[in-house]
Structure formats: C-alpha cells, structure tokens
Amino acid sequence: MSKQAAKHHAKAAEHHEHAARHHREAAKHHQAGTIFLGEKNRSRRRNLFSRQGGKDMFRRLTQIISLSAAVMFFGGCLAYTPVVGVAMTMIQGPITATAYDQSSRSGTSCASSAMGLFAWGDSSISTAKSIGQIKQVASVDFDTFNLLGMYGRFCTVVRGN
C-alpha cells in the first residue's frame, strides 16, 4: 500500500472511531432524557425534565399565550366602533340619515364573532330593511358589543317607513 493510501486509511479509521464515540454519547443522553449537542457544546446540555427544562417550557407557553391574546385583541375580532374598550365595548352610533321622517318601524340585522376564529350573520342594510318591512330609509345606526375580544356582535339598525 502506498504512503498516501495508508495515510488516507488511517484518517478514515480515525473518523470512524470519532463517529462511533459520538453515537455512543448521543445514545447515552437519549436514554437519560437529555439533549446532546455534541462534544464542543457540553456546557449547553440540559435535562428536559429538570427545573431548567420546566422553566423553558413555561416561558415558551407564556409567550404563545401572550401572542395569541395579542392576535385576538388586535387581529380583527373586535367589532367596528370609533371607540374601543379592551375589556368591554357597548356602543351605539350613527351611520347615515336622510330627510325622511322617523317612524316607529325599525329593522335590525346582526353579525357575531367568537374569539376572532368564527364569524356568522348578516348585518347588511338590506337585511335590516326586509326584517323591518321598510321601503324608505330614514336613518341607519349601528349597535356594537364586545366582551374581552372573546365574543363580538355588530348590528345594523334601520329606521323608516
């Protein structure tokens, strides 16, 4: 065998021994329930079931819950209104008015949402008109309710003849 081939063979044997040692070390850590990050990072090993691992898990869970709450509050599950209360919103306000006289007829159509994940209903003016049997619209108002971003309701109130 030539010198170069012998040198290559020795280097390969050294590499295989190093890989075998690495695999044995990783298997040992796997059985112990710890994370093996290699020989260079021995100081960074930690047991997932130790107090430190529990703190990391609690911190990650807290981050996920906080992010979910922020998305829920600021991500569109709050009902439309010019003023918003984070804990609760219960507002009535105008949308438009015409020159027609107000009458005792009114129709209301509503849409709701739950946790910003589900939304249902029809809060259109045409639906409110048909519910109140209104031909001439005198005014259109809104009525909105929201509780902690968990439940929201937006209603359109149409008054007219």
Side-chain angles (χ1 to χ4, degrees):
M1 184 179 335
S2 71
K3 283 185 178 183
Q4 188 176 10
K7 190 175 181 182
H8 178 71
H9 183 67
K11 196 102 166 142
E14 184 181 312
H15 175 72
H16 287 295
E17 177 57 34
H18 176 75
R21 214 177 359 187
H22 181 80
H23 288 291
R24 282 191 302 270
E25 189 76 18
K28 209 175 3 172
H29 286 280
H30 178 71
Q31 286 178 339
T34 59
I35 298 172
F36 179 64
L37 299 172
E39 292 179 13
K40 292 181 182 174
N41 297 318
R42 284 186 191 274
S43 62
R44 293 182 56 204
R45 276 188 229 153
R46 66 176 183 250
N47 188 331
L48 289 177
F49 304 106
S50 70
R51 285 190 171 163
Q52 180 64 36
K55 288 179 184 176
D56 288 345
M57 189 182 312
F58 180 75
R59 187 180 69 212
R60 178 65 65 188
L61 185 61
T62 303
Q63 289 171 344
I64 290 170
I65 290 171
S66 299
L67 180 63
S68 299
V71 167
M72 185 175 63
F73 281 119
F74 303 115
C77 63
L78 297 174
Y80 162 77
T81 179
V83 290
V84 176
V86 175
M88 187 179 90
T89 302
M90 197 161 37
I91 303 287
Q92 296 175 343
I95 294 177
T96 189
T98 64
Y100 296 114
D101 288 337
Q102 295 282 344
S103 72
S104 60
R105 280 193 180 179
S106 69
T108 302
S109 60
C110 296
S112 301
S113 72
M115 298 184 292
L117 299 174
F118 308 102
W120 63 93
D122 180 2
S123 62
S124 65
I125 293 174
S126 61
T127 301
K129 277 176 60 178
S130 65
I131 289 172
Q133 299 175 346
I134 297 170
K135 303 286 186 222
Q136 291 180 329
V137 175
S139 68
V140 181
D141 298 325
F142 73 87
D143 181 7
T144 186
F145 173 78
N146 186 2
L147 182 64
L148 294 172
M150 300 299 282
Y151 175 76
R153 185 187 71 229
F154 180 86
C155 297
T156 303
V157 181
V158 176
R159 291 183 182 81
N161 298 318

